[in-house]
Amino acid sequence: MHTAQNGVTLARMTDDDRTRWNQRYRSGDAPVEAKPNRWFAAQEATITRIAAEQHSLGRMPTALDIACGAGGTVLWLAQRGWCAAGVDVSDEALALAQLHAERLQISAHVQWIHADLDAWRPPADAFDCVTCFHFLERRLWPALRAAVRPGGLLAMQTFHRGALHIRPAANPAYLLEKGELLDLVTGWGWTVLAIADAAAAQTTEAVLAQRPANK
């Protein structure tokens, strides 16, 4: 792994995924605006509380967004006092994210990691908040759990099988079973702080969970 001149950290990746997503960003078929996940942004009070706890200890709160795209969630966190990193397979997406960061003048508080999530894994006990939205890779879940520091947060949202009635062509392999995320984090013994509202829950599952401070 090495750091490129544009501030994006590079890791080995498959050309197929990178090419496919780069083409989607070039064609406008992927989101290019720097908007955070809306459900996550609605949890701002909890996010602010965790950040304040870290600041009170003299530490900068740290966050990681998985499959960050154009960086909306990373930038939202950085604007609220976090040191935030985003990882994505598309260098086109990360170039957009860096432009957004420069326009907002928060480049010093963000990091972009260009990596294939089939292979890349975050370091353990490294982040006060880990997020993953509309990207489903179950093999990542143990690493995401390990990446959250004691007392930190994990926020995830993506589509479940209930979405098939509006997206009948969707591949079920990329859809959650209903209640799968909730079962996952409660099985870990983590505290669930928020889930999707009733309307969103018709097609997606969301969970904001906190790792116990003592483990």
Side-chain angles (χ1 to χ4, degrees), residues 42-130:
Q43 317 308 320
E44 184 169 4
T46 299
I47 308 307
T48 299
R49 174 176 61 81
I50 296 298
E53 290 173 359
Q54 294 305 309
H55 285 300
S56 72
L57 297 172
R59 299 199 302 240
M60 176 74 80
T62 58
L64 173 70
D65 187 34
I66 300 294
C68 67
T73 296
V74 173
L75 299 170
W76 184 88
L77 285 161
Q79 289 177 294
R80 286 157 179 78
W82 291 73
C83 182
V87 56
D88 203 278
V89 73
S90 170
D91 47 320
E92 293 280 341
L94 296 180
L96 286 170
Q98 178 61 18
L99 283 175
H100 293 313
E102 291 169 0
R103 289 168 184 156
L104 293 168
Q105 299 182 336
I106 55 173
S107 295
H109 300 290
V110 300
Q111 178 188 9
W112 310 112
I113 303 167
H114 188 203
D116 178 4
L117 288 164
D118 285 340
W120 182 89
R121 295 294 182 265
D125 292 323
F127 302 98
D128 301 297
C129 183
V130 173

Side-chain angles (χ1 to χ4, degrees), residues 31-44:
V32 297
E33 296 180 348
K35 294 182 178 180
N37 176 273
R38 288 184 294 176
W39 170 80
F40 181 68
Q43 317 308 320
E44 184 169 4

Side-chain angles (χ1 to χ4, degrees), residues 8-26:
V8 176
T9 301
L10 303 178
R12 291 182 180 178
M13 68 197 69
T14 61
D15 287 336
D16 288 348
D17 285 344
R18 177 175 56 188
T19 298
R20 176 167 56 87
W21 279 101
N22 280 345
Q23 289 174 344
R24 290 190 63 181
Y25 277 98
R26 291 190 193 106

